[in-house]
Amino acid sequence: MPAERAGYTVTMFLVDLSPSMGATRTVEQAPGPNGEPRSVEMSNLEWALQFVKLKIQEMIYNGRKTDQCGVIVFGSEGTDNIINEKHGGYEHVSEYIPICTPSAKTLAELDKLKPSETAGDAIDGLIVGIETQDNYLQRKPTWTRKIVIVTDGASPLEIEDWEATVRRMSILAVSLTIVGVDFDDDELPYHEEDKPAIKRANESFYAQLVSALPNNLGLMGTLEHAHLSLSSPSIKETKSALASNTLRLGDVEARKDEALEISVKVAKCTNLARAGGWKRFFGTPIKGADEDDEDDEGKVVFRELKRRTEYVIDSAQIEGDGDGDGDGDSKRVASADLDEDEEQEGKDDRRVEKVEKEQLVLGYKYGSTYVPCPDGHFPKLQTQQGIDICGFFPKKNFNRSYPLSEVYYVFADPTSAPDQIAFSSVVQAMFEKGFLAIARMVRTDGSEPKMGVLSPTVWPKVDLFLWVQLPFADDIRHYTFPSLTTLTSRTGERITKHPYLPTEEQLEAMGQFIDDMDLSDAGEKDEKGDRQPWFDPRLSYNPAIHRTKQALFHAAVVSDLLTYPLPPPHPELTKYFEPPKRVLKRAKQSLETCKEVFKVKEVPKKAPRARKDGHVRAADEDEDMILLDRKSPAKKRSYALKPTPSPAGPSQVPKKRNASDSETESESEDEGLLLSKAIRRGSPGLPTPTASPGPELDPQRAPGRIIGNTFPLKDFRTNLSRGDVVTKAVEDMGAVIREIVGRPFAWRRKDEMIECLRVLRDTCLREDEIDAWNDILKGLRNDCSAETGNKAFWSELKKLGRSISLISSSEAEELGGISQVSESAAEAFMQR
């Protein structure tokens, strides 16, 4: 486990402002849009400050208040440091930015630095930095101390008594990093030609200085290498805070003598990394700000965009739903985040009604509906802190697709020897038997419980559990997929030869291609000459995280993105983007064989062309044969005929609606009046010259429903194919059936509703929605038995008898379900 604690660090940046830092240089930039090389002229100081700002920007990005820094400049025109104030000396060294938590203002202050006309001594700056840092950390002795010197090494140094400085740094455990402009570096490699003698001597002294520091506290490198290292992806390891908990095995209350209770500690083993947000760094420069006004403490270069949130009801989305009851429960409220600068822009013609936040009720999404929660949260379960082991199972039965969360360490309390012995015994026993444990974890009293699995892990000198969260049984859906190797026609005949079934030659060609694309031996050779795997997860980085971070940092430290474009990503970030050439060469022949065997041809894209005559594509020749999951001949379905365009003109509109059994009849007098008015406006004796396509029928879905009244069976099957809304589809299907059966002229859709009930019952039985079907059927019987109910429809259902009745316990057990209805009760239900 990581041992270093994040934050609690003070970093002193010592920046050289000597005249030599004003020398200009050419810095290569990212290639242009067409790949043309680009470069820009800048001074050594500007290039060095980019490195300092990137280091400070990383502190801002991490957002830790305990990660602080200060800036001291040497070679400045004036003198301002604590040693000069007390004892004098140490001229031309100034504390430019006092130690504090960095912010956007820190970056803005660094942009004001310019080369001076006075040479500075880096050793004087180092001593001032040590004392300034020590003075600030007098009451914080455990904090980490770092000093970074950025210089070109071209100014004279006073190196007398430098050993005393090293001893002082060793006592305070100060780590020193020297970043030199154009210093020699064997790793790049880079060696400056015609290097001045004074710079060569200073480089030699800096190397001696860092090597004299103990415990690897010293580091020295060139500025170009430092820029490259900042762009390379890195993983930061932080120490997770330990949380106390209790591991329980057995009932500690009812059978205390037979139960086991052990004090444990819980800490994170892994943590999900996400790309940083843009809000913290995005803004616009303040133009015309007075740079000499030092009293304006609130002035920053980047201002954060302020947003306001408004809640509106879009009338277009609920148009046609009726007047409603005015309570707004069925209306969807949308929230819009608007920038201050765009407050008056982007207004559209939508009819929206603004509502206040106080008028809204919090709702949680459940399927395609929202469950209101006026109090902001549902009643919480009364839970007790602890990790309760519920059972054990063999490790081989663990489904690797179940884990939901990050991994946690669970180990015995380090301060209790008895707990450590008992805990180790449990871990060792499970490890030797090859068992895992299902455990219920509650982090604190009253918090929500989480089910998970405890995996025993035995390391040298430590035994522990790894815990990961698992889904509850209600959260798991078992999906069935059709066979990939067997086809069955609609007549029930098994098909062995078909264009959709692979031949032996095709299977052999694809197998060879897969073997040739194997990456397990496509890497570099080891010391023994054996090929290693090409992909190493430890060296693979998420491009979204690191590239976003690089873009954020770059935009914050440069003044113009056109002049200083974003550099390309680090090679470590893109090395796995392309497959190895060795594998491509090896698989070339097998790939050509696959193309030949499978008859792969490039199909030119055809532009879609709209047909004005309502032409419908004809069915393929073998379309009826392809039913991958059909095991028996299809049952006949009494679908109602779809409406067809009438050649008789407007006078035939009423006849079309009467002939269409799948359309919903007029259910209000207003609708009937509208239809009769349309008839009176037409010319009854004038046929249209050509048939015009009829309008698309309204599915008539009530607000919040996913099943419509027009084609309920079609909507039901469409939603079942999605797989994640079965419960909602069953609920809405039952409501639609009861609604249609209770309307006038329901006898016209009798056969369709019976078919819907058959399909609904079969679905509820297979998808473990047995209670839902039984409730729907009981409600339908009550509706039909009412004084104004559809008794004739229930009589038709009674003729069907047991096949349409309640689902009994014996039926449910065959498919792994549970029912509270006995077989005799299910038989007697339809006869009442």
Side-chain angles (χ1 to χ4, degrees):
M1 295 187 294
E4 182 178 352
R5 190 178 183 185
Y8 300 94
T9 303
V10 172
T11 304
M12 301 298 300
F13 293 97
L14 313 182
V15 182
D16 189 357
L17 298 184
S18 301
S20 57
M21 292 291 287
T24 59
R25 64 185 299 112
T26 301
V27 179
E28 299 295 331
Q29 299 295 319
N34 299 323
E36 66 275 10
R38 292 193 293 185
S39 60
V40 65
E41 297 287 335
M42 65 174 63
S43 66
N44 288 338
L45 179 59
E46 291 175 330
W47 196 35
L49 287 178
Q50 282 191 8
F51 165 77
V52 176
K53 288 189 288 186
L54 285 172
K55 296 291 289 184
I56 294 178
Q57 182 75 343
E58 188 168 1
M59 301 178 188
I60 302 175
Y61 180 82
N62 293 332
R64 302 188 187 101
K65 293 184 178 180
T66 56
D67 207 354
Q68 302 178 358
C69 69
V71 178
I72 292 177
V73 295
F74 55 94
S76 60
E77 299 294 344
T79 302
D80 181 14
N81 60 78
I82 59 174
I83 300 180
N84 179 268
E85 292 176 358
K86 295 180 179 179
H87 310 290
Y90 297 89
E91 303 290 338
H92 305 294
V93 179
S94 300
E95 186 178 2
Y96 184 67
I97 298 178
I99 298 174
C100 63
T101 303
S103 63
K105 185 179 178 181
T106 308
L107 303 177
E109 292 297 325
L110 289 174
D111 288 333
K112 300 177 183 179
L113 289 175
K114 303 295 179 184
S116 67
E117 298 180 357
T118 304
D121 189 343
I123 302 302
D124 286 351
L126 176 60
I127 296 174
V128 171
I130 294 171
E131 296 305 320
T132 303
Q133 190 182 62
D134 184 56
N135 182 67
Y136 180 80
L137 295 177
Q138 285 183 354
R139 297 185 179 181
K140 303 172 183 178
T142 60
W143 282 41
T144 304
R145 308 180 185 212
K146 296 182 180 180
I147 292 181
V148 179
I149 300 178
V150 185
T151 179
D152 62 355
S155 300
L157 300 177
E158 299 229 357
I159 59 176
E160 296 181 1
D161 299 331
W162 65 272
E163 293 88 353
T165 304
V166 171
R167 288 194 296 271
R168 175 71 169 161
M169 295 175 65
S170 301
I171 295 173
L172 298 176
V174 178
S175 63
L176 174 64
T177 301
I178 299 177
V179 180
V181 180
D182 295 332
F183 278 19
D184 292 343
D185 193 322
D186 295 332
E187 294 184 10
L188 281 179
Y190 175 80
H191 294 276
E192 184 180 6
E193 298 180 0
D194 301 328
K195 182 175 295 186
I198 186 172
K199 184 172 182 178
R200 191 178 303 277
N202 287 344
E203 278 192 50
S204 177
F205 168 73
Y206 287 139
Q208 185 180 5
L209 176 64
V210 297
S211 62
L213 291 171
N215 302 325
N216 298 322
L217 292 176
L219 180 64
M220 176 179 164
T222 185
L223 182 57
E224 184 177 358
H225 196 179
H227 275 287
L228 289 176
S229 64
L230 286 177
S231 64
S232 65
S234 59
I235 298 177
K236 289 196 172 180
E237 296 181 350
T238 57
K239 185 178 180 181
S240 174
L242 301 182
S244 299
N245 214 316
T246 303
L247 179 68
R248 289 188 286 265
L249 178 59
D251 192 346
V252 296
E253 295 182 357
R255 299 183 177 182
K256 189 174 182 180
D257 297 338
E258 301 177 3
L260 190 64
E261 194 170 19
I262 305 171
S263 298
V264 295
K265 297 288 185 180
V266 180
K268 273 192 173 183
C269 173
T270 60
N271 190 28
L272 179 63
R274 294 183 176 89
W278 299 90
K279 181 177 179 181
R280 186 183 305 170
F281 303 97
F282 186 75
T284 55
I286 299 177
K287 303 294 184 181
D290 186 6
E291 296 183 357
D292 297 333
D293 187 7
E294 299 180 356
D295 297 333
D296 188 6
E297 295 295 335
K299 181 182 67 174
V300 295
V301 170
F302 294 94
R303 67 180 178 89
E304 185 180 296
L305 290 179
K306 301 297 182 181
R307 290 182 177 268
R308 60 184 177 87
T309 302
E310 289 185 355
Y311 299 90
V312 296
I313 299 177
D314 191 352
S315 302
Q317 295 184 2
I318 59 175
E319 192 177 41
D321 292 341
D323 296 333
D325 54 3
D327 57 3
D329 290 342
S330 63
K331 299 179 181 179
R332 173 173 291 188
V333 181
S335 63
D337 292 337
L338 305 175
D339 296 341
E340 289 181 344
D341 298 338
E342 299 176 356
E343 184 173 349
Q344 302 300 328
E345 299 178 3
K347 293 185 177 180
D348 52 23
D349 298 331
R350 293 183 304 173
R351 291 170 292 169
V352 296
E353 177 186 353
K354 183 178 179 181
V355 294
E356 299 298 330
K357 186 177 181 181
E358 291 74 14
Q359 299 178 256
L360 305 179
V361 175
L362 180 65
Y364 292 92
K365 194 170 184 180
Y366 181 75
S368 61
T369 61
Y370 289 87
V371 180
C373 185
D375 297 334
H377 59 84
F378 295 104
K380 291 186 177 181
L381 187 67
Q382 299 297 325
T383 56
Q384 180 183 0
Q385 182 188 37
I387 304 174
D388 296 288
I389 296 179
C390 303
F392 302 92
F393 65 97
K395 187 176 182 179
K396 62 180 181 180
N397 296 341
F398 179 62
N399 192 329
R400 294 301 298 269
S401 64
Y402 283 174
L404 298 177
S405 68
E406 300 300 319
V407 183
Y408 288 82
Y409 291 115
V410 179
F411 51 91
D413 190 345
T415 61
S416 175
D419 288 335
Q420 293 179 20
I421 296 174
F423 184 87
S424 180
S425 301
V426 176
V427 173
Q428 290 283 353
M430 291 176 57
F431 183 80
E432 292 177 2
K433 295 292 184 180
F435 273 71
L436 304 180
I438 296 178
R440 177 179 184 266
M441 177 183 285
V442 179
R443 302 297 296 272
T444 57
D445 290 340
S447 63
E448 59 182 22
K450 295 180 180 180
M451 295 301 297
V453 61
L454 290 172
S455 175
T457 305
V458 177
W459 288 341
K461 299 182 179 180
V462 61
D463 298 334
L464 52 86
F465 281 124
L466 296 179
W467 186 89
V468 65
Q469 184 181 352
L470 297 180
F472 288 94
D474 295 339
D475 299 327
I476 301 175
R477 289 286 182 183
H478 298 282
Y479 298 100
T480 57
F481 297 95
S483 173
L484 296 176
T485 59
T486 304
L487 292 181
T488 306
S489 66
R490 292 186 181 275
T491 60
E493 180 184 359
R494 182 173 179 180
I495 302 173
T496 58
K497 292 184 179 181
H498 192 274
Y500 288 176
L501 295 177
T503 63
E504 291 296 331
E505 187 180 8
Q506 290 174 341
L507 291 173
E508 183 180 354
M510 181 55 66
Q512 184 61 42
F513 177 61
I514 293 174
D515 293 339
D516 291 343
M517 290 295 291
D518 187 10
L519 299 176
S520 61
D521 60 347
E524 299 295 333
K525 293 183 178 180
D526 59 8
E527 298 176 354
K528 299 180 181 179
D530 298 330
R531 290 279 181 179
Q532 298 298 309
W534 173 73
F535 179 75
D536 189 348
R538 298 169 298 177
L539 303 178
S540 176
Y541 303 96
N542 188 335
I545 296 175
H546 299 283
R547 186 61 170 167
T548 300
K549 177 181 175 181
Q550 184 183 10
L552 288 172
F553 286 15
H554 181 80
V557 301
V558 300
S559 57
D560 184 10
L561 289 176
L562 295 178
T563 306
Y564 306 98
L566 179 65
H570 195 274
E572 286 292 322
L573 203 61
T574 60
K575 67 178 182 180
Y576 291 129
F577 279 16
E578 298 293 335
K581 295 181 179 180
R582 182 174 180 271
V583 173
L584 293 178
K585 182 178 179 181
R586 182 176 61 188
K588 184 177 181 180
Q589 181 59 40
S590 58
L591 178 60
E592 295 299 328
T593 304
C594 285
K595 290 181 179 179
E596 180 181 352
V597 172
F598 287 95
K599 297 180 176 58
V600 178
K601 298 180 180 179
E602 183 178 359
V603 180
K605 292 184 179 180
K606 294 182 180 180
R609 184 175 59 180
R611 300 295 294 265
K612 297 182 180 180
D613 56 353
H615 174 73
V616 180
R617 179 186 67 83
D620 292 338
E621 185 177 5
D622 59 349
E623 193 171 64
D624 291 340
M625 296 175 59
I626 308 305
L627 278 181
L628 301 181
D629 55 350
R630 181 72 61 188
K631 298 300 183 184
S632 59
K635 298 179 181 179
K636 295 183 179 179
R637 292 176 174 80
S638 56
Y639 283 114
L641 297 177
K642 295 185 178 179
T644 57
S646 172
S651 62
Q652 301 297 325
V653 171
K655 186 178 293 184
K656 181 185 71 172
R657 293 190 62 86
N658 292 339
S660 176
D661 291 341
S662 62
E663 285 188 22
T664 304
E665 287 72 19
S666 303
E667 288 151 24
S668 65
E669 295 182 0
D670 295 340
E671 187 176 353
L673 290 174
L674 290 173
L675 289 174
S676 61
K677 291 178 182 178
I679 296 171
R680 287 196 295 268
R681 286 197 298 268
S683 300
L686 298 177
T688 55
T690 57
S692 59
E696 184 178 354
L697 294 180
D698 181 13
Q700 296 191 9
R701 295 189 185 94
R705 285 185 186 172
I706 60 177
I707 306 296
N709 289 19
T710 305
F711 302 110
L713 193 57
K714 178 182 177 181
D715 292 347
F716 184 68
R717 286 176 169 151
T718 301
N719 285 282
L720 287 182
S721 63
R722 293 170 53 188
D724 57 344
V725 290
V726 176
T727 302
K728 177 62 177 173
V730 168
E731 176 185 349
D732 289 357
M733 186 66 165
V736 167
I737 292 174
R738 294 175 60 181
E739 187 174 308
I740 294 176
V741 169
R743 289 176 178 171
F745 305 103
W747 59 270
R748 297 179 179 176
R749 305 184 68 179
K750 176 194 66 175
D751 293 339
E752 182 186 0
M753 292 300 101
I754 292 177
E755 180 67 13
C756 289
L757 286 171
R758 289 183 183 274
V759 174
L760 180 60
R761 188 182 191 276
D762 183 60
T763 301
C764 292
L765 183 59
R766 287 185 290 102
E767 298 293 341
D768 196 17
E769 298 290 345
I770 297 171
D771 292 340
W773 163 258
N774 293 341
D775 293 341
I776 291 171
L777 194 61
K778 292 176 182 178
L780 181 61
R781 187 186 66 174
N782 295 337
D783 295 345
C784 294
S785 303
E787 185 176 354
T788 58
N790 192 344
K791 297 181 177 62
F793 183 79
W794 187 255
S795 298
E796 293 293 328
L797 293 183
K798 290 174 67 176
K799 296 177 181 179
L800 300 176
R802 180 67 184 85
S803 63
I804 201 70
S805 183
L806 301 177
I807 298 176
S808 64
S809 58
S810 59
E811 288 181 280
E813 288 176 359
E814 293 180 1
L815 295 179
I818 299 176
S819 175
Q820 304 298 329
V821 179
S822 64
E823 182 64 29
S824 59
E827 291 179 355
F829 179 82
M830 298 301 297
Q831 306 305 323
R832 298 178 186 174

